[in-house]
Amino acid sequence: MKKIICTAMCIVSALTFCACTEAKNPEISDIAASVNATSAYAMVDLIEITEDKMDIYFTGLDMSKVESFYAAKAQDGYTDHFVAIKVSDGEYASEVVTILEDYKANLAETYADYAPIEAERAETGTVITINDDYVFMIISEDTATVTSAVETHF
């Protein structure tokens, strides 16, 4: 009897451990909704970047390797952006990071001469990878708030 109880407890413990360590796979649209509800973008009108324009903004991005995405940028004159990309193959995530980092650097360079505050905002923006297949670019006056809103989904 002790052996049966012990075996049952081991199985329950193993299942509990597996359930607790399983990676979350939130929907990009849910993450975007949380981010858009933060105060970080309250004073900036973000306009969505549609799929047909993704490769124009993010040169080299292979949309056939993107499972889902949300991308938005501020109106001209501001560098605020929020980009969320879920890749279908985790190996492609590092390439996406490079593409977004290059975009961020080019944005900062573009604004350097006539809007140094915006250039600095682009420079201090962040690109993060979560769970090996989600990549985010956050450019905001309050990057910490946006990052926190993203991380609550994982």
Side-chain angles (χ1 to χ4, degrees):
M1 185 69 159
K2 284 184 184 179
K3 187 175 183 179
I4 293 172
I5 292 172
C6 201
T7 302
M9 288 176 65
C10 287
I11 291 171
V12 169
S13 293
L15 291 174
T16 302
F17 176 76
C18 289
C20 291
T21 59
E22 187 176 314
K24 292 182 182 180
N25 292 306
E27 295 294 323
I28 291 291
S29 58
D30 293 338
I31 298 169
S34 293
V35 165
N36 285 328
T38 67
S39 60
Y41 294 122
M43 300 302 290
V44 179
D45 263 342
L46 292 181
I47 55 173
E48 282 192 54
I49 299 170
T50 56
E51 184 171 356
D52 61 322
K53 301 234 185 325
M54 287 292 282
D55 63 339
I56 293 169
Y57 285 98
F58 311 111
T59 306
L61 185 65
D62 184 350
M63 290 301 288
S64 70
K65 295 180 180 179
V66 172
E67 188 175 308
S68 60
F69 77 95
Y70 173 84
K73 68 180 233 44
Q75 299 285 345
D76 292 335
Y78 299 96
T79 57
D80 296 66
H81 281 67
F82 178 70
V83 178
I85 298 174
K86 182 177 183 192
V87 295
S88 51
D89 176 6
E91 291 180 17
Y92 186 58
S94 63
E95 232 176 287
V96 173
V97 167
T98 300
I99 290 167
L100 295 178
E101 288 286 359
D102 288 348
Y103 177 83
K104 217 169 60 77
N106 289 335
L107 191 63
E109 186 178 318
T110 299
Y111 280 80
D113 288 336
Y114 68 92
I117 292 171
E118 292 300 320
E120 183 180 343
R121 185 176 296 172
E123 286 173 7
T124 59
T126 187
V127 176
I128 58 173
T129 303
I130 300 176
N131 289 355
D132 296 328
D133 55 354
Y134 289 85
V135 181
F136 301 91
M137 181 179 74
I138 301 164
I139 301 174
S140 170
E141 185 176 24
D142 191 356
T143 302
T145 295
V146 179
T147 302
S148 179
V150 167
E151 290 173 343
T152 62
H153 290 272
F154 294 93

